[in-house]
């Protein structure tokens, strides 16, 4: 980039809000799983929608690639620039205002750079629930959550990010501002454009603000950590729990013994909630709109029946919020606890819920056929049919050698996913990680339509190039 | 030996509390309630002593409204054997609680009473000490280690600036501090078993205690919120602010 252009970009946000030294830029290029490398010579921190608009207009005019970045917690490399160093990173963190809260309509209007947790807290302050919840919530930003259509643990009863959005404000690559910040539940006026930007991973424009839905806060909530024999038993329990508790079943997370061993070993403050080990665990949460007592009695009846039926072998029930936080902490640190165990080949897959037990049996066989000492740590949102099918290296193996087995292990796992009519990216997105693979397996008409949309919205091809398509 | 463990139902430690609009106290309607964390530590201690063969029976007792039953059930699910609920709907101050507990002790004849050092709702830190005085028993407060041998108890106390080791005569009152242990989770089979464990209901009248408050709450206020910080432009500005605004130089 020539100095003249750089100065023009910097002038839009002001020198104070531009990062030009490599030392200051480094944090924006550090990817927390150390999987991707990227280069950039300029990071811009816009304060408002107008500045974003000016930046994109200039970028389109000069064909400068733009990489939008939120909390930089993505898992598929969607927020990383490539190695050319040509891209300008647009970090959204300064646009972090809550513009409006409407307790009559139960909506909140937030800017893209709001940290997810602060959106949850703003909702909580007015006695409402914003149900999007995921492990990175303390640092990820709502703009990134929407751009990647995040899922998380609340998806079971409240849906994924897409289901929570009523309106968006988006800056298009040309600098035009799409004002679709309506807060209406019912609005059938033409094409619903917002859904194009949700899950587009910043390839069609930049989401600068959103109106998202709030919900009544549950009056009672109770969490249990259960020991089970097999994923089939977990599926049986899930069906029973949903039949019994209906919408009150607000979380259902499956975890393997290995994951509990990893977290108790590597993560501070985590201990095994049960005194005896079990092959599988389920974290189950019941919420009630009525009362604590109601939640408690729902849970206890359900679990008593299921212990008699034999699907649940043992369990611990949280008797305070801090105990329930302990259980969630265990579940949410499962990802990071794999890092000290060496290389890990990760998959974010979904299959129809009923197929989870047979998929897991098939996948285990396929993986162990390739590497008999591989350690499978498959966990996740069983109720959504979504598993993080992660495989840790054999103890003592060479990390790089194991990671190179990705080339055989991933096609084997993904092959089974497709056999069961599943998805190779359930909630993390495509980014750069799964771009080529998606191109191979996605319906050709769908791919063609996506490319046409991209070309139409972003004729200069500046928005997050090389991602998704 | 029999151990008596008093437990209190309080607003859950993790709940953000709100002051009632008339400043008369803390809002308790629709708020998550749990066992006082220090009492959980006391229950855990009693269970460990039972597991070690030093204790035959653990009796838990609570003074409070009907819902305190849930707190007692939690203690039973952790491993206590029997529960007593002394029903009382209004505020009870530490002295009244200590007098009621004295009555319970006289009925039950435990060799040891383990209490939390304080309840996290009113932070009084008085009941254990008052009970010891009323009974004329020895007391080991703020315990982070307890060792019973024969008719003496060795207690490691958490005091300002360090630890103090004392030896006290049994029967005794011990109040527990945070570092004593990490309470267990109630297991599902034990929660089911706890439903069948005996829970007796008593009234304050059974112990002939006058619970009329001796203190009057004048006003309850939320702590002042933290003021936003400022970024100073220079050392000179910092020094001037410290001198003129903060008045610390």
């Amino acid at each position: 980039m020539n100095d003249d252009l750089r100065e023009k970009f910097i002038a839009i946000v002001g020198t104070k809000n531009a990062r030009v030294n490599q030392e200051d830029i480094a944090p924006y290029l550090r990817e927390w799983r150390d999987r991707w490398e990227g280069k950039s010579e300029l990071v811009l921190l816009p304060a408002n929608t107008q500045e974003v608009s000016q930046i994109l207009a200039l970028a389109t005019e000069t064909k400068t690639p733009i990489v939008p970045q939120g909390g930089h917690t993505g898992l598929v490399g969607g927020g990383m620039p490539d190695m050319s160093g040509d891209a300008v990173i647009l970090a959204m963190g300064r646009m972090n205002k809550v513009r409006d809260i409407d307790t009559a309509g139960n909506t909140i209007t937030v800017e893209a750079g709001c940290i997810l947790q602060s959106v949850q807290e703003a909702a909580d302050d007015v006695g409402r629930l914003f149900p999007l919840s995921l492990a990175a919530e303390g640092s990820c930003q709502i703009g990134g959550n929407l751009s990647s259509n995040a899922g998380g643990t609340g998806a079971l009863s409240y849906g994924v990010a897409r289901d929570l959005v009523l309106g968006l404000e988006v800056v298009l690559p040309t600098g035009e501002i799409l004002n679709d910040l309506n807060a209406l539940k019912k609005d059938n006026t033409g094409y619903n454009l917002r859904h194009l930007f949700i899950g587009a991973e910043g390839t069609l424009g930049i989401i600068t603000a959103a109106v998202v839905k709030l919900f009544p806060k549950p009056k009672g909530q109770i969490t249990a950590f259960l020991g089970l024999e097999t994923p089939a038993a977990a599926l049986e329990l899930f069906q029973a729990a949903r039949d019994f508790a209906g919408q009150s079943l607000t979380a259902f997370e499956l975890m393997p013994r290995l994951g509990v061993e990893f977290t108790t070993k590597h993560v501070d403050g985590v201990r095994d909630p049960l005194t005896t080990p079990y092959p599988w665990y389920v974290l189950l949460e019941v919420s009630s709109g009525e009362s604590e007592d109601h939640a408690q009695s729902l849970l206890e009846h359900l679990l008593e029946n299921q212990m008699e039926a034999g699907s649940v072998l043992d369990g611990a029930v949280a008797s305070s919020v801090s105990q329930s936080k302990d259980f969630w902490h265990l579940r949410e640190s499962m990802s990071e606890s794999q890092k000290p165990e060496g290389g890990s080949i990760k998959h974010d897959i979904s299959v129809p819920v009923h197929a989870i037990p047979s998929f897991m049996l098939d996948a285990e066989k396929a993986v162990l056929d390739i590497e008999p000492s591989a350690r499978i740590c498959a966990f996740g949102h069983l109720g959504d049919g979504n598993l993080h099918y992660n495989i840790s290296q054999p103890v003592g193996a060479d990390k790089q050698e194991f990671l190179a087995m990705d080339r055989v292990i991933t096609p084997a796992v993904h092959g089974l996913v497709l056999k069961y009519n599943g998805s190779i990216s359930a909630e993390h997105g495509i980014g750069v990680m799964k771009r080529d693979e998606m191109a191979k397996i996605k319906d050709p008409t769908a791919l063609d339509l996506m490319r046409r949309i991209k070309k139409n919205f972003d004729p200069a091809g500046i928005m997050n190039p090389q991602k998704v398509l | 030996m029999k151990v008596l463990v008093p437990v209190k139902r309080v607003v859950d430690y993790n709940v953000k509390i709100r002051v009632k609009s008339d400043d008369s106290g803390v809002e308790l309607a629709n708020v998550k309630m749990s066992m006082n964390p220090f009492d959980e530590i006391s229950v855990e201690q009693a269970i460990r002593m039972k597991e070690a063969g030093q204790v035959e029976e653990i009796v838990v007792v609570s003074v409070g409204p009907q819902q305190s039953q849930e707190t007692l059930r939690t203690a039973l699910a952790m491993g206590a054997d029997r529960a007593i609920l002394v029903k009382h709907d209004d505020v009870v101050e530490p002295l009244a609680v200590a007098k009621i507990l004295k009555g319970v002790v006289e009925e039950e004849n435990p060799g040891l009473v383990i209490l939390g050092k304080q309840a996290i709702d009113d932070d009084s830190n008085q009941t254990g000490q008052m009970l010891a005085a009323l009974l004329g028993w020895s007391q080991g407060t703020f315990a982070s280690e307890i060792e019973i041998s024969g008719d003496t108890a060795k207690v490691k106390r958490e005091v300002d600036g360090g630890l103090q080791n004392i030896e006290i005569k049994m029967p005794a009152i011990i109040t527990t501090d945070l570092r004593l242990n990490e309470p267990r989770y109630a297991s599902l089979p034990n929660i089911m078993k706890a439903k069948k464990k005996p829970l007796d209901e008593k009234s304050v009248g059974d112990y002939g205690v006058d619970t009329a408050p001796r203190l009057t709450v004048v006003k309850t206020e939320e702590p002042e919120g933290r003021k936003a910080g400022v970024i100073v432009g220079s050392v000179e500005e910092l020094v001037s602010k410290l001198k003129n605004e903060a008045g610390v130089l």
Side-chain angles (χ1 to χ4, degrees):
Chain A
M1 189 188 305
N2 65 47
D3 289 351
D4 186 40
L5 179 58
R6 182 202 311 263
E7 288 313 314
K8 276 187 185 160
F9 273 120
I10 294 173
I12 297 171
V13 293
T15 320
K16 233 173 76 182
N17 302 307
R19 304 285 173 266
V20 291
N21 299 323
Q22 277 311 308
E23 190 183 316
D24 298 331
I25 292 174
Y28 298 90
L29 299 175
R30 204 174 297 129
E31 192 270 328
W32 71 278
R33 288 209 303 216
D34 300 329
R35 278 193 80 128
W36 289 279
E37 284 181 307
K39 283 188 181 157
S40 174
E41 286 168 6
L42 182 60
V43 178
L44 300 175
L45 289 79
N48 54 48
T49 311
Q50 298 310 326
E51 289 183 6
V52 175
S53 161
Q54 289 172 38
I55 293 167
L56 293 201
L58 181 59
T60 285
E61 188 194 317
T62 56
K63 294 206 169 5
T64 310
I66 295 285
V67 175
Q69 207 176 81
H72 205 14
T73 59
L75 297 166
V76 291
M80 287 293 276
D82 65 12
M83 290 297 284
S84 71
D86 295 337
V88 173
I89 294 175
L90 209 55
M92 301 299 288
R94 282 182 70 224
M95 289 190 63
N96 61 357
K97 280 189 277 301
V98 172
R99 289 192 191 164
D100 185 42
I101 296 186
D102 173 4
T103 49
N106 263 356
T107 63
I108 182 169
T109 308
V110 291
E111 291 185 343
C114 286
I115 306 256
L116 174 56
Q117 194 174 322
S118 60
V119 181
Q120 296 166 348
E121 285 166 4
D124 191 70
D125 283 344
V126 293
R128 301 292 188 277
L129 172 76
F130 181 60
L132 186 64
S133 173
L134 42 105
E137 64 197 18
S139 40
C140 64
Q141 296 170 10
I142 190 76
N145 296 144
L146 300 185
S147 290
S148 60
N149 188 23
T153 50
L156 183 61
S157 52
Y158 298 98
V160 295
R162 182 186 301 285
D163 302 311
L164 303 172
V165 180
L166 290 173
L168 286 184
E169 179 187 85
V170 182
V171 177
L172 301 180
T174 51
E176 293 159 278
I177 298 169
L178 170 69
N179 186 349
D180 186 27
L181 267 185
N182 80 52
L184 304 172
K185 197 166 195 173
K186 295 188 169 178
D187 172 24
N188 288 348
T189 51
Y191 300 151
N192 193 327
L193 297 172
R194 67 173 177 272
H195 285 304
L196 276 176
F197 300 97
I198 301 168
E201 301 179 39
T203 58
L204 298 179
I206 295 188
I207 296 174
T208 47
V211 183
V212 293
K213 296 179 195 168
L214 300 179
F215 294 83
K217 225 164 37 175
K219 294 207 173 62
Q221 198 162 57
I222 185 156
T223 319
F225 192 90
L226 310 167
L228 299 92
E229 189 65 44
T230 57
L235 178 63
E236 198 180 306
L237 171 66
F238 171 66
Q239 285 173 289
R242 201 185 37 191
D243 289 350
F244 190 77
Q247 286 298 100
S248 290
L249 178 68
T250 44
F252 196 99
E253 299 286 313
L254 180 71
M255 289 162 276
R257 175 68 200 162
L258 185 66
V260 172
E261 280 169 13
F262 284 178
T263 46
T264 47
K265 190 167 149 199
H266 299 300
V267 184
D268 266 357
V270 170
R271 57 181 166 139
D272 187 346
L274 305 179
T275 41
T276 355
Y278 294 91
W280 291 91
Y281 299 92
V282 162
L283 192 161
L284 186 151
E285 181 188 80
V286 170
S287 303
S288 161
E290 285 174 35
S291 63
E292 283 291 337
D293 285 355
H294 183 236
Q296 175 129 14
S297 89
L298 267 179
L299 184 85
E300 283 180 10
H301 279 110
L302 168 70
L303 295 183
E304 263 175 49
N305 293 340
Q306 288 304 304
M307 272 194 91
E308 270 169 33
S311 74
V312 174
L313 303 176
D314 195 0
V317 178
S319 66
S320 63
V321 178
S322 61
Q323 290 193 352
S324 119
K325 279 186 171 177
D326 289 350
F327 298 168
W328 275 111
H329 182 46
L330 191 163
R331 161 62 186 86
E332 283 177 344
S333 47
M334 200 146 284
S335 230
E336 63 177 81
S337 74
Q338 291 160 25
K339 212 172 171 179
E341 291 288 332
S344 169
I345 298 173
K346 297 181 192 290
H347 308 92
D348 163 41
I349 60 104
S350 67
V351 294
V353 175
H354 68 81
I356 290 236
S358 28
F359 166 78
M360 289 184 82
L361 287 175
D362 288 0
E364 183 180 347
K365 188 176 175 305
V367 170
L368 296 183
D369 276 351
I370 297 167
E371 172 52 76
S373 310
R375 294 174 298 160
I376 300 171
C377 187
F379 65 97
H381 323 295
L382 182 138
D384 306 326
N386 177 197
L387 292 175
H388 301 303
Y389 202 90
N390 297 350
I391 303 150
S392 279
Q393 65 172 63
V395 178
D398 180 82
K399 182 174 171 181
Q400 293 313 322
E401 259 171 47
F402 176 73
L403 289 178
M405 294 178 83
D406 189 15
R407 283 194 296 272
V408 269
I409 288 180
T410 295
V413 172
H414 284 178
L416 286 166
V417 169
L418 297 178
K419 187 185 131 192
Y420 283 100
N421 294 316
S423 165
I424 60 155
S425 180
E427 60 175 6
H428 295 164
I430 297 296
V432 282
M433 186 185 182
K434 294 178 185 170
R435 182 193 57 205
D436 297 344
E437 203 180 347
M438 182 177 87
K440 277 185 225 149
I441 59 171
K442 192 87 184 170
D443 171 61
T445 312
L447 269 178
D448 183 48
L449 208 47
M450 287 187 206
R451 290 191 178 115
R452 279 151 63 188
I453 292 169
K454 166 77 177 170
K455 197 152 181 87
N456 207 294
F457 277 63
D458 183 17
I462 58 154
M463 282 309 304
N464 216 4
Q466 318 296 321
K467 314 290 162 55
V468 185
L469 293 172
Chain B
M1 177 172 67
K2 188 196 277 188
V3 174
L4 183 72
V5 183
V7 296
K8 185 176 183 184
R9 179 174 182 266
V10 298
V11 174
D12 190 280
Y13 169 73
N14 282 282
V15 170
K16 203 155 86 187
I17 57 163
R18 292 190 165 88
V19 170
K20 282 186 191 168
S21 50
D22 63 358
D23 295 341
S24 64
V26 169
E27 189 57 72
L28 295 181
N30 285 324
V31 171
K32 166 91 179 165
M33 308 289 279
S34 301
M35 191 191 300
N36 177 35
F38 292 107
D39 300 345
E40 263 186 315
I41 294 171
S42 307
V43 175
E44 176 67 32
Q45 176 63 24
I47 298 168
R48 288 188 189 185
M49 287 167 72
K50 190 178 172 188
E51 285 167 348
Q54 296 169 326
V55 164
E56 282 86 48
E57 190 186 27
I58 302 165
V59 180
V60 284
V61 56
S62 189
V63 181
Q66 191 64 44
Q67 296 94 314
S68 298
Q69 227 187 59
E70 292 157 27
T71 311
L72 289 168
R73 289 280 175 215
T74 303
L76 294 173
M78 285 173 73
D81 299 294
R82 193 152 64 75
I84 302 166
L85 170 63
V86 183
K87 254 187 84 175
H88 188 70
D89 287 326
D90 298 325
V91 180
V92 264
E93 289 172 358
L95 182 59
V97 176
K99 285 177 178 169
I100 293 168
L101 291 178
K102 176 174 181 261
V104 178
V105 167
E106 281 161 359
E107 235 171 50
E108 294 286 341
N109 288 311
L112 178 67
V113 184
I114 310 178
L115 305 89
K117 69 167 181 179
Q118 69 197 67
I120 60 165
D121 51 359
D122 57 18
D123 275 347
S124 289
N125 187 347
Q126 295 168 359
T127 307
Q129 294 89 327
M130 285 173 167
L131 179 61
L134 290 171
L135 288 168
W137 288 12
S138 39
Q139 55 176 302
T141 48
F142 319 133
S144 64
E145 248 179 72
I146 301 169
E147 204 190 305
I148 310 277
S149 48
D151 62 348
T152 58
K154 283 185 188 158
V155 177
K156 186 169 276 181
R157 303 182 64 232
E158 304 232 350
V159 292
D160 281 352
L163 297 166
Q164 184 187 50
N165 291 296
I166 59 166
E167 218 175 276
I168 53 175
K169 261 180 93 173
M170 302 281 276
I173 304 294
I174 292 178
T175 74
T176 58
D177 215 321
L178 269 186
R179 269 174 281 262
L180 181 60
N181 61 46
E182 195 174 20
R184 68 196 60 197
Y185 303 108
S187 82
L188 201 48
N190 287 342
I191 290 173
M192 283 149 73
K193 274 185 225 152
K195 290 188 173 160
K196 297 186 185 99
K197 289 182 179 175
L199 193 155
D200 289 336
E201 269 191 41
K202 303 261 189 183
S203 71
V204 170
D206 295 341
Y207 303 97
V209 175
D210 173 16
T211 58
R214 292 159 174 246
L215 305 171
T216 316
V217 175
V218 182
K219 199 177 174 190
T220 309
E221 280 179 321
E222 273 182 42
E224 216 175 296
R226 215 181 116 201
K227 290 198 186 97
V230 287
I231 296 174
V232 292
S234 65
V235 176
E236 288 74 28
E237 194 189 340
L238 174 66
V239 171
S240 134
K241 275 188 186 295
L242 287 174
K243 231 181 218 162
N244 305 322
E245 288 176 33
V248 293
L249 281 183

